[in-house]
Amino acid sequence: DDLTPITRALDIEHRHVRDLIDRLRAKEMEFEERNPGAAIAEMADRLAVQWNVEIVVGKTPAAIRVGGELAFELKQIIREAIANAVRHGHAKEIVIGIQAGIRNLRITVEDDGIGFAGPHPLAMPRTIGERVEGLNGLSMVRSQPGATMIQFTIPLERARD
């Protein structure tokens, strides 16, 4: 059946949305600390099925913890980067790297798509840029046919708020 993968992906997303609503009602998201890599890997598994794309998430040291609100924002940024890579770049493989330094959390999303086109091919997608800026972070993009990389860095002081 052509609809089986779509139905499965919708079921997974439906459960995810219900869980999010329940957690918001219980106000768990404000206080829960998580390893960002674990949160991102869980989401990446769902998105790989939804978009029929291979997504590889690099390992993150278990000691790195961020609040639930920041983990949510990071996932939203990455979710949009993945959707853009597949929808607009026709990517088949996406690699997510997560690194923590003394002062910063750096996340890189790389894909094998066709790259950015248009009059401003190196412009950061607006909503990604706005979200990163809202976290007091910096972002950059590099793109060429066959390789696009979006990288953003969030200060760990902000990450612990």
Side-chain angles (χ1 to χ4, degrees):
D1 230 2
D2 289 340
L3 295 179
T4 302
I6 295 169
T7 303
R8 192 173 334 127
L10 285 172
D11 287 342
I12 291 168
E13 283 303 308
H14 180 258
R15 284 192 301 271
H16 175 68
V17 169
R18 293 296 328 155
D19 179 57
L20 216 101
I21 291 169
D22 292 342
R23 289 173 62 204
L24 284 169
R25 284 184 179 146
K27 298 189 182 203
E28 288 177 20
M29 289 188 64
E30 293 178 30
F31 306 106
E32 178 185 297
E33 284 203 353
R34 294 196 70 175
N35 177 296
I40 291 165
E42 290 171 11
M43 178 195 65
D45 289 343
R46 289 190 303 273
L47 292 177
V49 172
Q50 176 183 341
W51 292 108
N52 192 30
V53 64
E54 182 178 346
I55 302 175
V56 177
V57 179
K59 298 219 183 285
T60 307
I64 299 171
R65 310 293 283 178
V66 299
E69 184 180 341
L70 179 62
F72 176 80
E73 286 297 322
L74 294 174
K75 288 184 345 185
Q76 292 305 102
I77 294 167
I78 293 167
R79 178 187 304 270
E80 182 167 348
I82 290 169
N84 288 345
V86 175
R87 271 192 302 226
H88 305 299
H90 309 289
K92 297 291 181 208
E93 182 175 321
I94 298 167
V95 177
I96 301 168
I98 306 163
Q99 299 175 319
I102 294 170
R103 295 189 171 113
N104 297 308
L105 181 65
R106 177 178 298 138
I107 299 183
T108 305
V109 180
E110 298 178 82
D111 70 68
D112 64 350
I114 62 172
F116 288 14
H120 304 289
L122 296 181
M124 179 65 62
R126 184 175 50 92
T127 54
I128 291 176
E130 288 172 356
R131 281 186 183 273
V132 170
E133 188 176 303
L135 296 170
N136 299 322
L138 300 172
S139 59
M140 65 173 271
V141 62
R142 282 191 297 219
S143 184
Q144 62 186 32
T148 296
M149 186 269 305
I150 291 177
Q151 183 177 81
F152 56 97
T153 305
I154 308 297
L156 279 176
E157 298 85 55
R158 170 61 178 101
R160 290 193 181 108
D161 286 350

